[in-house]
Amino acid sequence: MSERQKLQSPWHPERLTRRRPYLQARTRIQGALRDWFAGQGFVEVETPALQISPGMEPHLQAFATELKDSAGANTPRYLHTSPEFAMKKLLAGGETKIFQFARAYRNAERSATHHPEFTMLEWYRAGDDYRRLMEDCAALLAVAVQAAGNDVLQWGGQRIDPARPPERITVADAFGLFAGIDLLSTTGSNPADPPVVVLAKQAARIGVAAHDGDRWEDVFFRIMFERIEPELAKRGAVLLDRYPISMAALSRPCADDPLVAERFELYVGGLELANAFGELTDAKIQRARFEADMALKHKLYGLRYPIDEDFLAALEFGLPPCSGIALGFDRLVMVATGAADIDDVLWLPVA
């Protein structure tokens, strides 16, 4: 290896020295969060990264491998994109308050805020409404900043007071305020699978172009990227709440409005940190969603992932009413320390 190549390696002393303050803060933050969860009565768990199903999100790409059984036959396995399925099995088994710092793996993701191998902080509360997770988020932001030795959260040029509770705004209200679009009126007679035409017309009206072959969700995310997220970036910490039911994923419908789901995302300075659900516990509905997601994945990318039948069996056995959230720990370290690139907060990023 040439000297130039060595210098570019993440282990090189010059590069490691530059990252060391962020890495030392990372260690302090992780320790402080563990203490906070312990103080709340949570149990830290560890679940396998090697799974039958890596996750059902249509757009995520997993790392595939094979597991050799006792007879020498190879069975497909995947590195999980999230520990969600495994942790919910523990809830079905009787655990009530659990958290995990889990390594997660997503192929084809690399940018200043994405890494193919990263740390997911995921936690679940049995018997608690998903709004309790909003309180958790506010507390953890403050804990992280204090452990980092800073006074403010930092991202995108914003300096955000961690003592100020995150602003809560619904997705529909955000589209109305920042894009002038009545989002829920565009979902038509089948809100679980809305047609694209009405939302595409509304997008064109505000100068956001729809493309041939777009689905309703594609146009939704384009408006989010061009109109909503830039406004969220100006508002500090934000809880974007009550996603349209077509984007419910593993969350349940809101009791007061079946058009939207008990799902929120935490943003800090416009950067998404976490995704939370009031968890769906109906196995039949979840199977139908999984099958629809894999049909879409096959249509878009030509592949399907197996459905985790053991997870659905756990739902049938009895997943208790619960709420859960996945938070990108590396991103949390970034906003707590002011690091601009995810590689800066990883001890040894993938070269």
Side-chain angles (χ1 to χ4, degrees), residues 1-13 15:
M1 180 180 287
S2 70
E3 288 303 314
R4 180 182 178 85
Q5 288 173 318
K6 290 178 183 177
L7 181 60
Q8 293 174 340
S9 296
W11 55 261
H12 192 278
R15 298 192 68 187

Side-chain angles (χ1 to χ4, degrees), residues 5-72:
Q5 288 173 318
K6 290 178 183 177
L7 181 60
Q8 293 174 340
S9 296
W11 55 261
H12 192 278
E14 289 188 17
R15 298 192 68 187
L16 191 55
T17 297
R18 182 178 61 81
R19 300 201 311 275
R20 187 166 287 116
Y22 297 130
L23 300 175
Q24 291 171 337
R26 177 192 180 98
T27 299
R28 295 195 303 272
I29 292 168
Q30 191 169 36
L33 295 185
R34 281 196 164 103
D35 289 344
W36 184 88
F37 279 107
Q40 294 286 313
F42 280 79
V43 173
E44 184 170 9
V45 301
E46 294 180 276
T47 57
L50 202 61
Q51 295 286 329
I52 291 172
S53 174
M56 295 282 100
E57 209 287 336
H59 301 292
L60 294 184
Q61 306 298 314
F63 290 93
T65 185
E66 292 181 333
L67 180 67
K68 193 178 294 294
D69 64 19
S70 58

Side-chain angles (χ1 to χ4, degrees), residues 325-347:
I325 182 167
L327 182 148
F329 176 66
D330 310 301
R331 290 188 179 185
L332 177 62
V333 175
M334 292 172 70
V335 299
T337 62
D341 193 300
I342 195 169
D343 282 8
D344 290 338
V345 301
L346 302 177
W347 276 100

Side-chain angles (χ1 to χ4, degrees), residues 33-47 86-87 90-91 94-102 121-126:
L33 295 185
R34 281 196 164 103
D35 289 344
W36 184 88
F37 279 107
Q40 294 286 313
F42 280 79
V43 173
E44 184 170 9
V45 301
E46 294 180 276
T47 57
M87 293 183 75
L90 294 178
L91 294 177
E95 296 298 329
T96 58
K97 296 170 74 173
I98 56 176
F99 80 100
Q100 179 173 192
F101 286 96
L121 170 57
E122 194 149 331
W123 70 97
Y124 290 85
R125 289 179 171 272

